[in-house]
Amino acid sequence: MSITVAVDAMGGDVGLKVTIPASIQFLHDHPDNKLILVGDSTAIEAELHSCEPRLRSRIEIQHATQVVDMDEAPQLALKNKKDSSMRVAINLVKEGRAQACVSAGNTGALMATARFVLKTIPGIDRPAIAKLMPTVRGTTCVLDLGANVDCTPEQLLQFGIMGAELVASVSHQARPTVGLLNIGSEEIKGTGNIKLAAELFRASELNFYGNVEGDDIYKGTVDVVVCDGFTGNVALKTSEGLAHMISVFLREEFTRTWWTRLCALAAMPVLKHFKSRVDTRRYNGASMLGLRGIVVKSHGGTDAIGFRFALEQACEEVDSDVIGHITDQVALHQENRQRAEAQANQVPA
Amino acid sequence: MSITVAVDAMGGDVGLKVTIPASIQFLHDHPDNKLILVGDSTAIEAELHSCEPRLRSRIEIQHATQVVDMDEAPQLALKNKKDSSMRVAINLVKEGRAQACVSAGNTGALMATARFVLKTIPGIDRPAIAKLMPTVRGTTCVLDLGANVDCTPEQLLQFGIMGAELVASVSHQARPTVGLLNIGSEEIKGTGNIKLAAELFRASELNFYGNVEGDDIYKGTVDVVVCDGFTGNVALKTSEGLAHMISVFLREEFTRTWWTRLCALAAMPVLKHFKSRVDTRRYNGASMLGLRGIVVKSHGGTDAIGFRFALEQACEEVDSDVIGHITDQVALHQENRQRAEAQANQVPA
């Protein structure tokens, strides 16, 4: 099946110099798919000058006059940037001209705009940001990574349902296990909110594992880790900081003297292979789940390789009909809940 | 000055086989200091059989008949284990026979018992767990790491004062910078609680940097990072998980074939030096701050090297009078607050 993805070509710290090479490589790897590049058409055309005609024929350019700044307040972007590359790319999904949209722009503005334009799936209170993280065993989907600082137990449960459907669809895994991020595995641990959420998870249709701790993310203890956006964002950023520190230390050690540089030369193939396994670019696409359209957020500071992975993520979600699966599962959850409530409220004869 | 540290010899996943070798090495490195080893005296004596007499003379054994289990409920331990090695070690601090206590036992039980026996410093609502973490630039003190899941803005401020005094005392650093862990540097970011806390921090005597994000911990952006115990614990455990995954991947890559094993051999000295820089054992001692006595928690699963670092941490805190500094600073904070409140309430003439 041919998939069309709308690309916010101007988004991210770098913009066109990242999004265009990534787009060209993507079309090279996916001979059936198409892209609509959204942004300043003259600048995009200039950037595409060396693109092979067979790839260029699968690119459409959609002009947009504005760009959302990386530090712009989401509500201001929503109000004042109606012709931004970001907004126009999301509009293309709404209009059905594209099946997904990818942006490396301002996260808050992307979420606010996507929610405003696309709306949420019935039964979903708030969209969440989900990401596959590498683990010792494979990958784990973690959500929410920063869209919602405060979450009710019911919202956490909705995140669990969405995360499980993402993993089930994209990784073709039946009944993924879901864990609730906490500071201990025992039921008595955590905030009141988390304890209430755990009760909802246990009573739900999910394959609930129970509480998990921070280290379980990278152990791959469960397929889906659910948390509020504050905790998730801290966990993600802390991981980024630690990974960066470790890479700085490794580089420092291998460049300390001429002898250690020689050691690095000898170990280079091994280090390269290691690096590829922990390469954050491979896990770059974060999904904004719960919307009536597929929106994938790329890290603002990524390069063309990273942005290409975000495009791949968007395609996989279209291909596996993640939104259809989430919609069905949330509807089922609501039915079950209403039935349970009706039973509970039934007046005995 | 000679310092006496009470050691919960039975605590931790391993117990005596870790605490006793660590204690002997500690006494070897610190010819002025003394230890009181608390636990089953016969078992401790047996473990000390090969200890040199010049070190043995600085060891006192204090018998205790009970041991707190690693998964025992804190309140049950407090109620039923009045003669546990943990409780007796804390009692020694209360009685003034030791200036600090170190335990690798059950964290919740240690905190509950220490709080019950030693009480908090006047003006401190709740003690917090603080730890020095390695960063690109040196170390950063992070607190709370799990003692308090919910924290008021005032409690977060108290954590800030305690963390700053710990760094000022132990690292001899004047006016350490303090950051509030958040999901963005802008003032509008985060929960209502965090925003209120930021206002208190700005109005306080602290050298407040502003909001910091998870990656700032390992960047060493500030000297002290303040957060509630839920977030801090998730950040710490997530870091442990990631560090473990990276070490597993490195090992796997270097042992994949005979050729990569040869590469590892060549790179061994460099890898060893790298490993020593990220060795969690060096950062093993977590301080339970806010108590009227020094209590240091060692990781339950550490080895003798790690436990020795926890003993060192306890000594440094005694040596630099951390408790005196915290007590003075909290009193000053309270005075300033009362003065501000009095001024605000003053009826104009």
Side-chain angles (χ1 to χ4, degrees), chain A residues 134-135 149 181-183 213-215 218 230 233 237-239 241-242 245 249 252-254 256 263 266 270 273 277-278, chain B residues 134-135 149 181-183 213-215 218 230 233 237-239 241-242 245-246 249 252-254 256 263 266 270 273 277-278:
Chain A
T135 77
V149 292
L181 191 58
N182 203 332
I183 62 168
E213 296 186 68
D215 51 343
Y218 294 103
F230 190 91
N233 189 276
K237 293 275 176 70
T238 302
S239 298
L242 177 56
M245 183 185 84
F249 283 1
E252 280 179 4
E253 291 307 324
F254 274 111
R256 197 174 284 282
C263 292
V270 186
H273 204 256
R277 286 181 74 180
V278 287
Chain B
T135 76
V149 291
L181 191 58
N182 204 331
I183 61 169
E213 297 186 69
D215 50 343
Y218 294 103
F230 191 92
N233 189 275
K237 293 275 177 70
T238 302
S239 299
L242 177 57
M245 184 185 83
I246 288 175
F249 283 1
E252 280 179 4
E253 290 308 324
F254 275 112
R256 198 175 283 281
C263 292
V270 187
H273 203 258
R277 286 180 75 180
V278 286

Short mmCIF file of all heavy atoms in Angstrom, two decimals, chain A residues 134-135 149 181-183 213-215 218 230 233 237-239 241-242 245 249 252-254 256 263 266 270 273 277-278, chain B residues 134-135 149 181-183 213-215 218 230 233 237-239 241-242 245-246 249 252-254 256 263 266 270 273 277-278:
data_model
loop_
_atom_site.label_atom_id
_atom_site.label_comp_id
_atom_site.label_asym_id
_atom_site.label_seq_id
_atom_site.Cartn_x
_atom_site.Cartn_y
_atom_site.Cartn_z
N PRO A 134 15.17 1.42 23.83
CA PRO A 134 15.92 0.17 23.74
C PRO A 134 16.03 -0.47 25.12
O PRO A 134 16.08 0.24 26.13
CB PRO A 134 17.30 0.63 23.26
CG PRO A 134 17.42 2.04 23.75
CD PRO A 134 16.03 2.61 23.72
N THR A 135 16.01 -1.78 25.17
CA THR A 135 16.18 -2.48 26.44
C THR A 135 17.14 -3.65 26.23
O THR A 135 17.50 -3.96 25.09
CB THR A 135 14.85 -3.05 26.98
OG1 THR A 135 14.53 -4.24 26.24
CG2 THR A 135 13.72 -2.06 26.85
N VAL A 149 1.34 16.88 32.71
CA VAL A 149 2.08 16.84 33.98
C VAL A 149 1.25 16.19 35.09
O VAL A 149 1.79 15.49 35.93
CB VAL A 149 2.59 18.23 34.42
CG1 VAL A 149 3.68 18.71 33.50
CG2 VAL A 149 1.48 19.24 34.53
N LEU A 181 4.68 2.70 36.32
CA LEU A 181 5.96 3.15 36.88
C LEU A 181 5.76 3.64 38.31
O LEU A 181 4.93 4.51 38.57
CB LEU A 181 6.55 4.27 36.01
CG LEU A 181 8.00 4.66 36.31
CD1 LEU A 181 8.94 3.48 36.17
CD2 LEU A 181 8.45 5.79 35.40
N ASN A 182 6.55 3.07 39.22
CA ASN A 182 6.39 3.38 40.64
C ASN A 182 7.77 3.32 41.31
O ASN A 182 8.78 3.09 40.63
CB ASN A 182 5.40 2.37 41.26
CG ASN A 182 4.74 2.88 42.53
OD1 ASN A 182 5.30 3.71 43.25
ND2 ASN A 182 3.56 2.40 42.80
N ILE A 183 7.79 3.51 42.63
CA ILE A 183 9.10 3.50 43.31
C ILE A 183 9.27 2.22 44.12
O ILE A 183 10.07 2.16 45.05
CB ILE A 183 9.29 4.75 44.19
CG1 ILE A 183 8.23 4.80 45.29
CG2 ILE A 183 9.21 6.01 43.34
CD1 ILE A 183 8.55 5.85 46.34
N GLU A 213 9.73 -0.44 38.37
CA GLU A 213 10.58 0.68 38.80
C GLU A 213 11.38 1.20 37.60
O GLU A 213 11.37 0.59 36.53
CB GLU A 213 11.50 0.20 39.92
CG GLU A 213 10.72 -0.21 41.15
CD GLU A 213 11.63 -0.55 42.33
OE1 GLU A 213 12.28 0.36 42.87
OE2 GLU A 213 11.70 -1.73 42.69
N GLY A 214 12.08 2.31 37.82
CA GLY A 214 12.82 2.95 36.74
C GLY A 214 13.74 2.01 35.99
O GLY A 214 13.83 2.05 34.75
N ASP A 215 14.43 1.13 36.72
CA ASP A 215 15.39 0.25 36.05
C ASP A 215 14.70 -0.80 35.17
O ASP A 215 15.32 -1.35 34.25
CB ASP A 215 16.34 -0.43 37.05
CG ASP A 215 15.62 -1.09 38.19
OD1 ASP A 215 14.43 -0.78 38.40
OD2 ASP A 215 16.22 -1.91 38.90
N TYR A 218 14.76 -0.26 31.17
CA TYR A 218 15.87 -0.77 30.35
C TYR A 218 16.12 -2.27 30.52
O TYR A 218 16.84 -2.87 29.73
CB TYR A 218 17.14 0.03 30.62
CG TYR A 218 17.00 1.46 30.16
CD1 TYR A 218 16.76 2.49 31.06
CD2 TYR A 218 17.03 1.77 28.80
CE1 TYR A 218 16.58 3.80 30.62
CE2 TYR A 218 16.85 3.06 28.36
CZ TYR A 218 16.63 4.07 29.27
OH TYR A 218 16.44 5.35 28.84
N PHE A 230 5.15 14.13 33.69
CA PHE A 230 6.24 14.74 34.45
C PHE A 230 7.32 13.70 34.72
O PHE A 230 8.48 13.88 34.37
CB PHE A 230 5.71 15.33 35.77
CG PHE A 230 6.71 16.18 36.49
CD1 PHE A 230 6.76 17.54 36.27
CD2 PHE A 230 7.62 15.62 37.38
CE1 PHE A 230 7.70 18.34 36.91
CE2 PHE A 230 8.57 16.41 38.03
CZ PHE A 230 8.60 17.78 37.79
N ASN A 233 8.96 12.39 31.45
CA ASN A 233 9.91 13.33 30.86
C ASN A 233 11.22 13.37 31.64
O ASN A 233 12.30 13.39 31.04
CB ASN A 233 9.27 14.73 30.81
CG ASN A 233 10.11 15.70 30.02
OD1 ASN A 233 11.04 16.29 30.54
ND2 ASN A 233 9.82 15.84 28.73
N LYS A 237 14.77 12.42 29.94
CA LYS A 237 15.85 13.41 29.89
C LYS A 237 17.04 12.96 30.74
O LYS A 237 18.19 13.19 30.37
CB LYS A 237 15.34 14.77 30.40
CG LYS A 237 14.31 15.43 29.50
CD LYS A 237 14.96 16.22 28.39
CE LYS A 237 13.95 16.82 27.42
NZ LYS A 237 13.17 17.91 28.01
N THR A 238 16.75 12.33 31.88
CA THR A 238 17.84 11.82 32.72
C THR A 238 18.63 10.78 31.94
O THR A 238 19.86 10.77 31.97
CB THR A 238 17.28 11.23 34.03
OG1 THR A 238 16.54 12.24 34.70
CG2 THR A 238 18.39 10.74 34.94
N SER A 239 17.91 9.93 31.21
CA SER A 239 18.57 8.91 30.39
C SER A 239 19.46 9.57 29.33
O SER A 239 20.59 9.15 29.10
CB SER A 239 17.53 8.04 29.69
OG SER A 239 16.74 7.36 30.64
N GLY A 241 20.83 12.47 29.46
CA GLY A 241 21.99 13.07 30.13
C GLY A 241 23.04 12.02 30.48
O GLY A 241 24.24 12.23 30.27
N LEU A 242 22.58 10.89 31.01
CA LEU A 242 23.52 9.83 31.41
C LEU A 242 24.21 9.25 30.18
O LEU A 242 25.44 9.04 30.18
CB LEU A 242 22.78 8.74 32.18
CG LEU A 242 23.61 7.53 32.60
CD1 LEU A 242 24.82 7.95 33.43
CD2 LEU A 242 22.77 6.53 33.38
N MET A 245 26.83 11.61 29.07
CA MET A 245 28.00 11.61 29.96
C MET A 245 28.87 10.38 29.70
O MET A 245 30.10 10.49 29.61
CB MET A 245 27.55 11.61 31.43
CG MET A 245 28.72 11.68 32.40
SD MET A 245 28.20 11.55 34.13
CE MET A 245 28.08 9.78 34.32
N PHE A 249 32.76 10.38 28.51
CA PHE A 249 33.81 9.69 29.27
C PHE A 249 34.56 8.69 28.38
O PHE A 249 35.78 8.59 28.43
CB PHE A 249 33.20 8.95 30.47
CG PHE A 249 32.85 9.85 31.63
CD1 PHE A 249 33.05 11.23 31.57
CD2 PHE A 249 32.31 9.33 32.80
CE1 PHE A 249 32.71 12.06 32.63
CE2 PHE A 249 31.98 10.16 33.87
CZ PHE A 249 32.18 11.51 33.78
N GLU A 252 36.81 10.61 26.08
CA GLU A 252 37.95 11.15 26.84
C GLU A 252 38.99 10.06 27.13
O GLU A 252 40.19 10.28 26.97
CB GLU A 252 37.47 11.76 28.17
CG GLU A 252 36.89 13.15 28.02
CD GLU A 252 36.38 13.73 29.34
OE1 GLU A 252 36.56 13.08 30.39
OE2 GLU A 252 35.81 14.83 29.29
N GLU A 253 38.49 8.89 27.53
CA GLU A 253 39.43 7.82 27.88
C GLU A 253 40.20 7.32 26.66
O GLU A 253 41.40 7.08 26.74
CB GLU A 253 38.68 6.65 28.53
CG GLU A 253 38.14 6.95 29.91
CD GLU A 253 39.21 7.49 30.85
OE1 GLU A 253 40.37 7.06 30.77
OE2 GLU A 253 38.88 8.39 31.66
N PHE A 254 39.52 7.23 25.52
CA PHE A 254 40.17 6.69 24.32
C PHE A 254 41.03 7.73 23.59
O PHE A 254 41.71 7.40 22.63
CB PHE A 254 39.12 6.10 23.36
CG PHE A 254 38.78 4.66 23.68
CD1 PHE A 254 37.54 4.32 24.17
CD2 PHE A 254 39.72 3.65 23.50
CE1 PHE A 254 37.23 2.99 24.48
CE2 PHE A 254 39.42 2.33 23.80
CZ PHE A 254 38.18 2.00 24.29
N ARG A 256 43.01 9.96 25.47
CA ARG A 256 43.86 10.53 26.52
C ARG A 256 45.33 10.64 26.10
O ARG A 256 45.97 11.67 26.31
CB ARG A 256 43.72 9.67 27.78
CG ARG A 256 44.20 10.33 29.05
CD ARG A 256 43.89 9.47 30.25
NE ARG A 256 42.50 9.50 30.66
CZ ARG A 256 41.94 10.49 31.35
NH1 ARG A 256 42.66 11.53 31.70
NH2 ARG A 256 40.68 10.45 31.67
N CYS A 263 44.65 2.11 21.05
CA CYS A 263 43.68 1.14 21.57
C CYS A 263 42.32 1.38 20.92
O CYS A 263 41.61 0.43 20.55
CB CYS A 263 43.51 1.27 23.09
SG CYS A 263 44.94 0.79 24.02
N ALA A 266 42.17 0.01 17.51
CA ALA A 266 42.01 -1.45 17.52
C ALA A 266 40.57 -1.83 17.85
O ALA A 266 40.01 -2.77 17.28
CB ALA A 266 42.96 -2.07 18.55
N VAL A 270 34.39 -2.68 17.12
CA VAL A 270 33.55 -3.12 18.23
C VAL A 270 32.79 -1.92 18.81
O VAL A 270 31.57 -1.98 19.05
CB VAL A 270 34.41 -3.78 19.34
CG1 VAL A 270 33.52 -4.37 20.41
CG2 VAL A 270 35.32 -4.83 18.74
N HIS A 273 29.95 -0.86 16.56
CA HIS A 273 28.80 -1.75 16.66
C HIS A 273 28.02 -1.48 17.95
O HIS A 273 26.79 -1.46 17.98
CB HIS A 273 29.25 -3.21 16.60
CG HIS A 273 28.16 -4.12 16.13
ND1 HIS A 273 27.46 -4.94 16.99
CD2 HIS A 273 27.64 -4.32 14.91
CE1 HIS A 273 26.55 -5.61 16.30
NE2 HIS A 273 26.64 -5.25 15.04
N ARG A 277 24.03 0.19 18.62
CA ARG A 277 22.96 -0.42 19.42
C ARG A 277 22.32 0.57 20.37
O ARG A 277 21.18 0.40 20.78
CB ARG A 277 23.52 -1.59 20.23
CG ARG A 277 23.81 -2.80 19.39
CD ARG A 277 24.33 -3.94 20.21
NE ARG A 277 23.32 -4.59 21.03
CZ ARG A 277 23.57 -5.62 21.82
NH1 ARG A 277 24.80 -6.09 21.92
NH2 ARG A 277 22.62 -6.16 22.54
N VAL A 278 23.10 1.58 20.80
CA VAL A 278 22.54 2.57 21.73
C VAL A 278 22.30 3.91 21.03
O VAL A 278 22.08 4.92 21.67
CB VAL A 278 23.46 2.77 22.96
CG1 VAL A 278 23.39 1.57 23.89
CG2 VAL A 278 24.90 3.04 22.56
N PRO B 134 27.67 11.29 39.77
CA PRO B 134 28.76 11.75 38.90
C PRO B 134 28.20 12.59 37.77
O PRO B 134 27.09 12.33 37.31
CB PRO B 134 29.35 10.44 38.36
CG PRO B 134 28.21 9.48 38.41
CD PRO B 134 27.37 9.87 39.60
N THR B 135 28.93 13.60 37.34
CA THR B 135 28.49 14.41 36.20
C THR B 135 29.70 14.65 35.30
O THR B 135 30.83 14.29 35.65
CB THR B 135 27.96 15.78 36.64
OG1 THR B 135 29.06 16.63 36.98
CG2 THR B 135 27.03 15.68 37.83
N VAL B 149 7.04 10.60 48.83
CA VAL B 149 6.43 10.59 47.50
C VAL B 149 5.71 11.89 47.19
O VAL B 149 5.71 12.36 46.05
CB VAL B 149 5.48 9.38 47.28
CG1 VAL B 149 6.25 8.09 47.23
CG2 VAL B 149 4.39 9.33 48.33
N LEU B 181 14.07 20.34 39.83
CA LEU B 181 13.88 19.42 38.70
C LEU B 181 12.49 19.60 38.09
O LEU B 181 11.48 19.52 38.79
CB LEU B 181 14.07 17.97 39.16
CG LEU B 181 14.16 16.91 38.07
CD1 LEU B 181 15.29 17.19 37.11
CD2 LEU B 181 14.33 15.52 38.68
N ASN B 182 12.47 19.86 36.79
CA ASN B 182 11.22 20.15 36.11
C ASN B 182 11.29 19.60 34.68
O ASN B 182 12.28 18.97 34.30
CB ASN B 182 10.99 21.68 36.11
CG ASN B 182 9.53 22.06 35.96
OD1 ASN B 182 8.74 21.35 35.36
ND2 ASN B 182 9.17 23.21 36.49
N ILE B 183 10.25 19.84 33.88
CA ILE B 183 10.26 19.29 32.52
C ILE B 183 10.49 20.39 31.50
O ILE B 183 10.15 20.25 30.33
CB ILE B 183 8.96 18.51 32.22
CG1 ILE B 183 7.74 19.43 32.31
CG2 ILE B 183 8.79 17.36 33.19
CD1 ILE B 183 6.48 18.79 31.76
N GLU B 213 16.34 20.34 33.97
CA GLU B 213 15.70 19.13 33.42
C GLU B 213 16.55 17.90 33.76
O GLU B 213 17.66 18.03 34.25
CB GLU B 213 15.53 19.29 31.92
CG GLU B 213 14.60 20.44 31.56
CD GLU B 213 14.30 20.52 30.07
OE1 GLU B 213 13.61 19.63 29.56
OE2 GLU B 213 14.76 21.47 29.43
N GLY B 214 16.00 16.75 33.47
CA GLY B 214 16.67 15.50 33.82
C GLY B 214 18.12 15.42 33.34
O GLY B 214 19.01 14.97 34.06
N ASP B 215 18.36 15.89 32.10
CA ASP B 215 19.73 15.77 31.58
C ASP B 215 20.71 16.70 32.30
O ASP B 215 21.92 16.46 32.27
CB ASP B 215 19.77 16.02 30.06
CG ASP B 215 19.07 17.30 29.66
OD1 ASP B 215 18.27 17.82 30.46
OD2 ASP B 215 19.29 17.78 28.54
N TYR B 218 23.28 15.04 34.92
CA TYR B 218 24.58 14.51 34.49
C TYR B 218 25.44 15.54 33.76
O TYR B 218 26.62 15.31 33.55
CB TYR B 218 24.38 13.24 33.65
CG TYR B 218 23.82 12.12 34.49
CD1 TYR B 218 22.48 11.76 34.41
CD2 TYR B 218 24.62 11.46 35.41
CE1 TYR B 218 21.96 10.76 35.20
CE2 TYR B 218 24.11 10.46 36.21
CZ TYR B 218 22.77 10.11 36.10
OH TYR B 218 22.26 9.13 36.90
N PHE B 230 9.37 10.70 44.66
CA PHE B 230 8.87 9.84 43.58
C PHE B 230 9.71 10.07 42.32
O PHE B 230 10.29 9.14 41.76
CB PHE B 230 7.39 10.13 43.31
CG PHE B 230 6.74 9.12 42.41
CD1 PHE B 230 6.11 8.01 42.92
CD2 PHE B 230 6.79 9.28 41.02
CE1 PHE B 230 5.52 7.07 42.09
CE2 PHE B 230 6.22 8.34 40.18
CZ PHE B 230 5.58 7.23 40.71
N ASN B 233 13.42 9.08 42.78
CA ASN B 233 13.65 7.65 42.78
C ASN B 233 13.58 7.09 41.36
O ASN B 233 14.39 6.25 40.97
CB ASN B 233 12.63 6.95 43.68
CG ASN B 233 12.95 5.49 43.88
OD1 ASN B 233 12.57 4.66 43.07
ND2 ASN B 233 13.68 5.17 44.93
N LYS B 237 16.68 5.17 39.60
CA LYS B 237 16.53 3.78 39.16
C LYS B 237 16.65 3.68 37.64
O LYS B 237 17.21 2.71 37.12
CB LYS B 237 15.18 3.22 39.62
CG LYS B 237 15.05 3.06 41.13
CD LYS B 237 15.63 1.75 41.60
CE LYS B 237 15.58 1.59 43.11
NZ LYS B 237 14.22 1.40 43.63
N THR B 238 16.09 4.67 36.93
CA THR B 238 16.19 4.66 35.47
C THR B 238 17.67 4.74 35.08
O THR B 238 18.12 4.03 34.17
CB THR B 238 15.41 5.83 34.86
OG1 THR B 238 14.04 5.74 35.27
CG2 THR B 238 15.46 5.83 33.34
N SER B 239 18.42 5.57 35.77
CA SER B 239 19.86 5.69 35.51
C SER B 239 20.56 4.36 35.75
O SER B 239 21.40 3.93 34.96
CB SER B 239 20.48 6.75 36.42
OG SER B 239 19.91 8.01 36.19
N GLY B 241 19.27 1.43 35.58
CA GLY B 241 18.87 0.52 34.51
C GLY B 241 19.63 0.78 33.22
O GLY B 241 20.11 -0.15 32.56
N LEU B 242 19.75 2.06 32.86
CA LEU B 242 20.44 2.41 31.62
C LEU B 242 21.93 2.05 31.71
O LEU B 242 22.50 1.49 30.77
CB LEU B 242 20.26 3.90 31.33
CG LEU B 242 20.99 4.43 30.10
CD1 LEU B 242 20.60 3.68 28.83
CD2 LEU B 242 20.71 5.93 29.92
N MET B 245 22.31 -1.58 31.26
CA MET B 245 22.11 -2.00 29.87
C MET B 245 23.36 -1.69 29.04
O MET B 245 23.82 -2.52 28.24
CB MET B 245 20.89 -1.30 29.27
CG MET B 245 20.57 -1.75 27.86
SD MET B 245 19.23 -0.81 27.11
CE MET B 245 20.10 0.64 26.52
N ILE B 246 23.92 -0.51 29.24
CA ILE B 246 25.10 -0.12 28.47
C ILE B 246 26.27 -1.06 28.79
O ILE B 246 26.99 -1.49 27.89
CB ILE B 246 25.46 1.36 28.75
CG1 ILE B 246 24.42 2.26 28.07
CG2 ILE B 246 26.86 1.69 28.26
CD1 ILE B 246 24.57 3.74 28.35
N PHE B 249 25.66 -4.34 26.99
CA PHE B 249 25.92 -4.20 25.55
C PHE B 249 27.43 -4.17 25.27
O PHE B 249 27.91 -4.80 24.33
CB PHE B 249 25.27 -2.92 25.01
CG PHE B 249 23.78 -3.04 24.81
CD1 PHE B 249 23.09 -4.20 25.12
CD2 PHE B 249 23.05 -1.97 24.31
CE1 PHE B 249 21.71 -4.31 24.94
CE2 PHE B 249 21.67 -2.06 24.11
CZ PHE B 249 21.01 -3.23 24.43
N GLU B 252 28.79 -7.63 25.69
CA GLU B 252 28.36 -8.48 24.57
C GLU B 252 29.19 -8.19 23.32
O GLU B 252 29.63 -9.11 22.63
CB GLU B 252 26.88 -8.24 24.27
CG GLU B 252 25.95 -8.98 25.21
CD GLU B 252 24.47 -8.71 24.91
OE1 GLU B 252 24.18 -8.00 23.92
OE2 GLU B 252 23.63 -9.19 25.67
N GLU B 253 29.41 -6.90 23.05
CA GLU B 253 30.14 -6.53 21.83
C GLU B 253 31.59 -7.00 21.89
O GLU B 253 32.13 -7.49 20.91
CB GLU B 253 30.08 -5.02 21.59
CG GLU B 253 28.70 -4.50 21.20
CD GLU B 253 28.08 -5.25 20.02
OE1 GLU B 253 28.83 -5.65 19.11
OE2 GLU B 253 26.87 -5.47 20.04
N PHE B 254 32.20 -6.85 23.07
CA PHE B 254 33.62 -7.21 23.18
C PHE B 254 33.85 -8.72 23.35
O PHE B 254 34.98 -9.17 23.36
CB PHE B 254 34.27 -6.45 24.35
CG PHE B 254 34.76 -5.07 23.95
CD1 PHE B 254 34.16 -3.93 24.45
CD2 PHE B 254 35.83 -4.93 23.07
CE1 PHE B 254 34.61 -2.67 24.08
CE2 PHE B 254 36.28 -3.68 22.70
CZ PHE B 254 35.67 -2.54 23.20
N ARG B 256 31.94 -11.00 21.45
CA ARG B 256 31.18 -11.61 20.36
C ARG B 256 31.97 -12.67 19.60
O ARG B 256 31.46 -13.76 19.35
CB ARG B 256 30.71 -10.50 19.40
CG ARG B 256 29.58 -10.88 18.50
CD ARG B 256 29.12 -9.69 17.67
NE ARG B 256 28.30 -8.76 18.43
CZ ARG B 256 27.01 -8.96 18.68
NH1 ARG B 256 26.41 -10.04 18.23
NH2 ARG B 256 26.31 -8.09 19.37
N CYS B 263 40.33 -7.43 20.61
CA CYS B 263 40.17 -5.97 20.69
C CYS B 263 39.99 -5.55 22.14
O CYS B 263 40.56 -4.55 22.60
CB CYS B 263 38.93 -5.52 19.91
SG CYS B 263 39.11 -5.74 18.14
N ALA B 266 43.19 -5.50 23.96
CA ALA B 266 43.97 -4.30 23.63
C ALA B 266 43.43 -3.07 24.34
O ALA B 266 44.18 -2.22 24.81
CB ALA B 266 43.96 -4.09 22.12
N VAL B 270 42.13 0.97 28.96
CA VAL B 270 41.27 2.14 28.74
C VAL B 270 39.87 1.87 29.28
O VAL B 270 39.28 2.71 29.98
CB VAL B 270 41.19 2.48 27.23
CG1 VAL B 270 40.44 3.77 27.02
CG2 VAL B 270 42.58 2.55 26.63
N HIS B 273 39.79 2.06 33.05
CA HIS B 273 39.81 3.44 33.54
C HIS B 273 38.44 4.08 33.36
O HIS B 273 37.94 4.79 34.23
CB HIS B 273 40.89 4.25 32.81
CG HIS B 273 41.34 5.43 33.60
ND1 HIS B 273 40.92 6.70 33.31
CD2 HIS B 273 42.15 5.52 34.68
CE1 HIS B 273 41.47 7.53 34.18
NE2 HIS B 273 42.22 6.84 35.02
N ARG B 277 35.48 5.39 36.31
CA ARG B 277 34.86 6.72 36.38
C ARG B 277 33.34 6.64 36.55
O ARG B 277 32.73 7.56 37.07
CB ARG B 277 35.16 7.52 35.10
CG ARG B 277 36.60 8.01 35.08
CD ARG B 277 36.88 8.79 33.82
NE ARG B 277 36.30 10.11 33.83
CZ ARG B 277 36.42 10.97 32.81
NH1 ARG B 277 37.08 10.62 31.73
NH2 ARG B 277 35.88 12.16 32.88
N VAL B 278 32.74 5.57 36.03
CA VAL B 278 31.28 5.45 36.15
C VAL B 278 30.90 4.37 37.18
O VAL B 278 29.76 3.93 37.24
CB VAL B 278 30.61 5.13 34.79
CG1 VAL B 278 30.62 6.34 33.89
CG2 VAL B 278 31.30 3.97 34.09
#
